[in-house]
Amino acid sequence: MIKNKIKNKKGWMRVAEAFIAIMLIAIVVLLVIQQDKKQKEDDSSVTYAYISNILREVELNNSLRNEILNIQNSSLPVLWSAFNSSAPQTYGKITGKIPAYLNCESQVCATSDVCLLSQSSQNQEKAIYAESIMIGATIQKYDPKLLKIFCWKK
């Protein structure tokens, strides 16, 4: 009779060991998934920080801001392909500040327009990060423009 009770306990012990093993594996898998998710969030926050810094430098630099404001409304939106001819200093500032692991494009649009990434630049498989600022309020005139930057990883 005592041997039967010991045998029954051995069966429950194996069940408990299997349950604990499964729980440990599940915890490890969840930790790996959580860490991967956190890494992706960190990458996007770093990318947005780069974009925001570029926009802030353009916004705070009077000559770059005036260059954007002097673009005629009739030529808006100014796509990245024409950016170098319309705003060469701003183009140089943006391209000089872009990290090596990113591809970026910029546009200048009227505030009433929607700035969209050009079809030739769209990459459906990659995450695209976009930020914009409104440039305006000079002493001479008030004709605000929207400067938008789109970036994605190479």
Side-chain angles (χ1 to χ4, degrees):
M1 192 161 189
I2 295 175
K3 286 186 177 183
N4 279 343
K5 287 186 178 182
I6 293 173
K7 283 183 181 179
N8 285 341
K9 287 183 181 179
K10 285 184 181 179
W12 283 108
M13 289 297 284
R14 287 191 177 171
V15 170
E17 288 173 352
F19 179 75
I20 291 171
I22 290 171
M23 291 301 291
L24 286 173
I25 291 171
I27 289 170
V28 168
V29 168
L30 288 174
L31 287 174
V32 168
I33 290 172
Q34 187 72 7
Q35 188 175 14
D36 185 46
K37 185 178 178 181
K38 187 176 180 181
Q39 179 68 29
K40 287 181 182 177
E41 288 173 1
D42 289 345
D43 288 347
S44 65
S45 64
V46 168
T47 303
Y48 277 120
Y50 274 118
I51 296 171
S52 295
N53 286 336
I54 293 169
L55 291 173
R56 190 172 300 113
E57 285 189 33
V58 172
E59 182 181 29
L60 296 176
N61 187 319
N62 284 333
S63 64
L64 299 178
R65 195 170 60 240
N66 287 330
E67 185 178 56
I68 290 175
L69 289 172
N70 288 332
I71 296 173
Q72 297 299 318
N73 284 339
S74 60
S75 61
L76 293 178
V78 176
L79 302 178
W80 188 244
S81 55
F83 213 85
N84 195 17
S85 61
S86 297
Q89 291 178 338
T90 308
Y91 178 84
K93 181 63 126 179
I94 291 172
T95 55
K97 292 288 185 177
I98 295 173
Y101 71 94
L102 289 177
N103 282 331
C104 293
E105 289 189 7
S106 188
Q107 289 184 19
V108 177
C109 305
T111 55
S112 59
D113 292 342
V114 178
C115 284
L116 298 175
L117 185 60
S118 63
Q119 292 287 50
S120 62
S121 301
Q122 288 184 1
N123 192 340
Q124 300 297 331
E125 297 174 12
K126 296 189 178 187
I128 298 175
Y129 306 96
E131 284 284 324
S132 62
I133 58 167
M134 185 171 31
I135 308 270
T138 63
I139 296 172
Q140 295 86 9
K141 62 180 179 176
Y142 182 74
D143 187 20
K145 308 276 190 304
L146 191 65
L147 175 63
K148 191 162 192 174
I149 296 180
F150 304 93
C151 293
W152 59 94
K153 292 183 181 175
K154 292 182 180 179

